[in-house]
Amino acid sequence: MANPLEATVLVLGEQSEIFLGLLKKHFSTIYQLAHIENKEEFLKDNGAEIIAVATSNNVGMSKEMIDALPKLQIIASFGVGYDSIDVDYAKQRGIQVTNTPNVLNDCVADTAMMLTYAVARQLIQANTYVKKGQWTSSFPLTTSLSKKVCGILGMGNIGEAIAKRAEAAGMEIIYHNRTQKNHVDYQYIATLEELAKQADFLILALPSTGETQHIINANILDKMKPSAYLINIARGSVVDEKALVESLKNRQIAGAGLDVFETEPCTESPLFEMENVVLTPHYASGTHETRLAMAELVCENLIHFFNKEPLVTPL
Amino acid sequence: MANPLEATVLVLGEQSEIFLGLLKKHFSTIYQLAHIENKEEFLKDNGAEIIAVATSNNVGMSKEMIDALPKLQIIASFGVGYDSIDVDYAKQRGIQVTNTPNVLNDCVADTAMMLTYAVARQLIQANTYVKKGQWTSSFPLTTSLSKKVCGILGMGNIGEAIAKRAEAAGMEIIYHNRTQKNHVDYQYIATLEELAKQADFLILALPSTGETQHIINANILDKMKPSAYLINIARGSVVDEKALVESLKNRQIAGAGLDVFETEPCTESPLFEMENVVLTPHYASGTHETRLAMAELVCENLIHFFNKEPLVTPL
């Protein structure tokens, strides 16, 4: 590997060793704002020099933070979502923003599929049943995936990756999206209400925006079949969690598999007591391989920026 | 539905309500041997009349049982495996045997894939972590499936159904089988040793026979990578479970996902204490939809037999 670039990158928040290690390999000066005691003083002294920031979607980048860096030209974010970054304001200021799309599609789609399997086949209960020595009679019958309707909300790259897996499992794929996607063969459903009605498994794979906030609310949950499951690997904000809890309590839907929550980390919830709910700690992209690929993509974007080349994955 | 056929079927063992219900719908006389107090007397009195038996692979049909029924012409078994039925002896006696292949392929392949996901992504631990309120820092990184080598032992119909799902998850498929399958594109590996060496996930999908008994033994486990996982949805007998426990204890392999065990039901095992092991109670085909399809196929075979039509799925 070549010497690091003579360049300064300000890192926001606590970031992983993988990510920090790669940044240090690639760039001569790395400031970690989270580890600087007097942040105000640091920003006053150095803010005017900083042209590049590395952050992640769970840390984000506010308008105030952008304002503290008058010379800022690029925000390179780790993660595919960017709801915590004030992208509009950054663009007004002429600051470029990059994210890390696509490299995490496989892992996120795997997580959606795994949660689908786990709720349908009651994997958590089955494993406990065996490991606690309770397997003396037959375990109750569970639910097949094959021939079931997999309704995907949001047919972006991640939605497509989920569809591919669900199709291989013999499911019938339907989807709703703001616009119909001409390059996919799956049946387009014009409204979310209708998608919710038809789906045996309703899988959320849409971005978090102002418009998608609580898009899954009591009204939509009411439309779902009592035998249907909700799977969310998108963002917690797209589901009205209180309404979901009510719907699960009243057995209006059969269960849920959730990787994301309205408040994260989620350390307290009525969901924790529910047997028909499988929960994971927003770890869909959390594999060694994918996190490394994401960190590499952040660095590539920054390298292209410093070399005055077109960015790899600009927003 | 038409009236039941004027025909007698002897049912062996305890069978599910789904299966018994369907038999009763289709045939005028059903004897459940398990519920007859004096079995010897019953067999002496009625054995000579019985020409059709319904059983399942977990109940089986021994040489002695076959001998008790001198007029027997058909054994219709619920399940795809038939290691517990003395098929050779039945054939010698000119008795036809049927099983229920293919209708369970999807569910069994789903279980293989689910266990693969669960061990790679530490699903059991992740769910516990959230539900116990332990999610305060980041959950440790897990393992991606995409680009990993999925080594399938046994490329029958179930093996193919697994390959299709694993391929959709971006895995590279290789396989070993007694003979190379010309109709599949996956890379054939000439020996099991070599398959074990190369696989990141070694998935067992071969039948239980005299030859496959303990085919996965200490020697094969030794060949596996320390980062590799063993998945068994075939039969417990194909794995030397003691050797597997040793291999897991010594971290010679990374973990295992098992739906089948040497002794079933398995109510005691060192495997129960292992975090990197996911266990399910031989329930791969255990969904409402698939068990009904299996019961229907047993009945269809019997109906064809009584109507002197070719059997649907003879062995």
Side-chain angles (χ1 to χ4, degrees), chain A residues 141-156:
Chain A
L141 295 182
T142 59
T143 297
S144 284
L145 261 58
S146 150
K147 293 176 193 154
K148 293 292 163 61
V149 176
C150 173
I152 301 178
L153 179 60
M155 191 49 83

Side-chain angles (χ1 to χ4, degrees), chain A residues 141, chain B residues 1-5 7-9 11 15-32 54 76 78 100 103 287-303 306:
Chain A
L141 295 182
Chain B
M1 190 156 145
N3 287 332
L5 264 180
T8 299
V9 177
V11 179
Q15 300 297 347
S16 68
E17 280 312 306
I18 289 183
F19 187 20
L20 285 170
L22 220 53
L23 285 165
K24 285 173 187 166
K25 252 186 183 170
H26 282 297
F27 308 103
S28 59
T29 308
I30 300 292
Y31 292 122
Q32 277 186 264
F78 181 98
T100 60
V103 291
T287 66
H288 295 283
E289 298 86 347
T290 293
R291 288 288 165 89
L292 183 61
M294 291 164 72
E296 275 169 351
L297 189 47
V298 174
C299 291
E300 269 184 73
N301 274 302
L302 288 168
I303 291 167
F306 286 118

Side-chain angles (χ1 to χ4, degrees), chain A residues 121 131 148 277 283 289, chain B residues 121 131 148 277 283 289:
Chain A
R121 301 302 304 270
K131 286 195 165 179
K148 293 292 163 61
V277 170
Y283 85 150
E289 298 85 349
Chain B
R121 301 302 304 270
K131 286 195 164 178
K148 292 292 162 63
V277 170
Y283 85 149
E289 298 86 347

Side-chain angles (χ1 to χ4, degrees), chain B residues 33 38-49 68-70:
Chain B
L33 194 60
N38 195 333
K39 292 177 180 53
E40 253 176 69
E41 197 179 274
F42 171 84
L43 288 171
K44 223 169 66 186
D45 293 351
N46 302 276
E49 277 171 39
L69 303 167

Side-chain angles (χ1 to χ4, degrees), chain A residues 3-270:
Chain A
N3 286 334
L5 263 180
E6 276 301 327
T8 298
V9 177
L10 175 67
V11 179
L12 303 189
E14 291 294 348
Q15 300 297 347
S16 68
E17 279 312 306
I18 288 183
F19 187 20
L20 285 171
L22 220 53
L23 285 165
K24 284 175 189 167
K25 251 186 182 171
H26 283 297
F27 308 102
S28 58
T29 308
I30 300 292
Y31 292 121
Q32 277 186 264
L33 193 60
H35 294 187
I36 290 167
E37 216 164 304
N38 195 331
K39 292 177 179 52
E40 252 175 70
E41 197 180 274
F42 171 83
L43 288 171
K44 223 170 66 186
D45 292 351
N46 302 276
E49 275 170 40
I50 304 289
I51 61 170
V53 153
T55 184
S56 55
N57 193 54
N58 61 330
V59 170
M61 179 108 190
S62 63
K63 184 174 178 299
E64 290 68 39
M65 191 66 214
I66 294 172
D67 278 336
L69 303 167
K71 296 274 174 68
L72 189 64
Q73 294 180 38
I74 185 168
I75 302 166
S77 181
F78 181 98
V80 64
Y82 45 85
D83 41 299
S84 60
I85 299 169
D86 197 332
V87 178
D88 288 342
Y89 184 65
K91 290 205 167 167
Q92 268 180 43
R93 279 251 330 250
I95 298 164
Q96 293 184 285
V97 184
T98 65
N99 65 341
T100 60
N102 299 324
V103 290
L104 43 62
N105 295 351
D106 278 327
C107 274
V108 176
D110 282 344
T111 302
M113 204 62 208
M114 174 174 72
L115 290 171
T116 301
Y117 279 131
V119 294
R121 301 302 304 270
Q122 300 186 20
L123 176 62
I124 305 295
Q125 297 96 309
N127 176 70
T128 302
Y129 183 77
V130 178
K131 286 195 165 179
K132 294 235 158 124
Q134 296 165 346
W135 182 13
T136 46
S137 58
S138 287
F139 188 78
L141 295 182
T142 59
T143 297
S144 284
L145 261 58
S146 150
K147 293 176 193 154
K148 293 292 163 61
V149 176
C150 173
I152 301 178
L153 179 60
M155 191 49 83
N157 294 329
I158 290 176
E160 273 192 59
I162 295 168
K164 196 174 129 193
R165 285 159 176 77
E167 205 178 16
M171 302 181 87
E172 187 196 323
I173 317 296
I174 61 175
Y175 76 100
H176 176 67
N177 198 67
R178 277 174 308 174
T179 55
Q180 186 166 354
K181 297 273 176 159
N182 292 319
H183 72 285
V184 300
D185 273 341
Y186 311 119
Q187 196 195 337
Y188 179 67
I189 305 292
T191 65
L192 169 56
E193 280 79 2
E194 190 55 33
L195 187 80
K197 259 188 214 172
Q198 291 188 28
D200 294 307
F201 295 86
L202 181 60
I203 305 187
L204 311 181
L206 74 173
S208 166
T209 66
E211 288 159 51
T212 63
Q213 169 87 6
H214 284 198
I215 194 168
I216 303 297
N217 51 31
N219 173 47
I220 297 297
L221 292 163
D222 270 354
K223 299 279 182 295
M224 289 175 70
K225 303 178 194 176
S227 59
Y229 292 88
L230 181 75
I231 307 293
N232 189 6
I233 49 80
R235 281 287 181 268
S237 61
V238 304
V239 174
D240 179 343
E241 218 168 88
K242 269 194 185 162
L244 175 62
V245 166
E246 282 312 302
S247 173
L248 287 163
K249 269 191 188 161
N250 304 333
R251 293 278 166 177
Q252 284 174 287
I253 68 170
L258 310 174
D259 185 48
V260 289
F261 303 84
E262 283 203 77
T263 306
E264 292 180 5
C266 176
T267 53
E268 224 181 61
S269 168

